[in-house]
Amino acid sequence: MQCFGSMARKLPYSFYRRETVEVARELLGKTLVRVLKNGMRVSGRIVETEAYLGSEDLAAHSSGGLRTKRTESMYLSGGHAYVYLIYGMHFCFNVVTREKDEPQAVLIRALEPVEGIEFMRHRRRTKRDIDLTSGPGKLCDALWIDKSHDRISLKSEVLFIEDTKSLSANKVDVGPRIGVAYAEAAAAWPLRFYARGNPYVSGIKSKSTAR
DNA sequence: CTGGGGATCGAG
DNA sequence: TCGATCCCCAGG
């Protein structure tokens, strides 16, 4: 089933060590890959991201330079994973951006399933495939990403992003981030990027002016 | 030690 | 709309 033309290479560290907003936009279309212990690949195309800009960003866990056991991984150099538990039950996966000690990251909010769909169905136990990876907690569940992946390099063998084609700019929609109403002015910053019209995009479905 | 709150999800 | 569920973190 998983016959791709050719396997794209892993994104290099240089991809991540740039402006966070650039990384967030260009990650749309790239392929998040999880390799299980038995060697099986489970993957999906990234269709929704959010940028978190560090000290000056009230919505970021590293806001105000907060540096604790949980946020420590945000201070790693670009190209590492930041995975945290939210609401006591779900994990969220982020890629760290920029250089060491610049605590910025991109939250991966939704994927379009590509490989290992049967495995995802088993993990998620949901009726509709649309619910497999259409949210940050859902995709971690589907790809079996958990706290054990916090801090790991995205050039590792178990979790990485492949350099498939980025979504062209005219198909990218931008809006405020989800679930950060408490962040005052930062709550309105246009730091959420998503593939226009893609059914796997989470949250408020853009009032599809379907006509 | 304490307790308030959270970058979510799914049922009703 | 609301409850689940528990880690995280600041304050005392």
Side-chain angles (χ1 to χ4, degrees), chain A residues 6-16 30-31 33 41 154-155 160-165:
Chain A
S6 59
M7 198 169 295
R9 68 161 206 273
K10 288 175 191 173
L11 288 173
Y13 286 129
S14 58
F15 177 91
Y16 302 101
K30 304 301 186 196
T31 306
V33 181
R41 284 169 57 102
L154 293 178
K155 297 213 67 172
F160 49 87
I161 299 176
E162 286 182 342
D163 192 13
T164 44
K165 192 176 186 312

Side-chain angles (χ1 to χ4, degrees), chain A residues 19-186:
Chain A
E19 284 297 319
T20 303
V21 166
E22 289 291 305
V23 176
R25 265 197 316 129
E26 292 178 32
L27 276 174
L28 296 178
K30 304 301 186 196
T31 306
L32 177 60
V33 181
R34 172 86 167 87
V35 177
L36 305 178
K37 285 185 178 154
N38 64 7
M40 173 190 250
R41 284 169 57 102
V42 185
S43 70
R45 303 279 297 284
I46 297 170
V47 297
E48 181 181 359
T49 61
E50 281 179 357
Y52 284 84
L53 304 185
S55 306
E56 312 305 310
D57 180 358
L58 228 28
H61 290 166
S62 53
S63 172
L66 183 68
R67 186 165 188 160
T68 63
K69 192 171 180 184
R70 178 179 64 152
T71 64
E72 189 59 33
S73 38
M74 287 189 79
Y75 290 79
L76 294 169
S77 54
H80 289 79
Y82 170 40
V83 180
Y84 65 90
L85 178 66
I86 185 73
Y87 299 117
M89 8 182 21
H90 304 289
F91 292 101
C92 287
F93 168 70
N94 302 250
V95 302
V96 175
T97 59
R98 301 181 64 104
E99 301 296 327
K100 182 177 184 304
D101 293 326
E102 296 181 78
Q104 305 194 17
V106 174
L107 170 66
I108 306 302
R109 287 194 58 92
L111 305 175
E112 179 177 310
V114 174
E115 298 169 280
I117 296 178
E118 276 305 327
F119 177 81
M120 295 184 193
R121 290 184 181 125
H122 183 254
R123 286 279 304 171
R124 297 277 302 129
R125 293 200 182 83
T126 177
K127 298 242 175 189
R128 303 145 51 213
D129 282 359
I130 199 66
D131 290 322
L132 290 176
T133 53
S134 55
K138 296 177 190 178
L139 71 89
C140 284
D141 197 15
L143 271 61
W144 201 356
I145 294 170
D146 59 34
K147 196 72 174 169
S148 73
H149 301 104
D150 186 39
R151 304 183 62 86
I152 70 172
S153 164
L154 293 178
K155 297 213 67 172
S156 77
E157 295 305 310
V158 300
L159 186 62
F160 49 87
I161 299 176
E162 286 182 342
D163 192 13
T164 44
K165 192 176 186 312
S166 285
L167 195 66
S168 66
N170 65 326
K171 291 179 181 165
V172 176
D173 270 353
V174 183
R177 295 169 293 183
I178 304 289
V180 298
Y182 59 85
E184 300 174 18

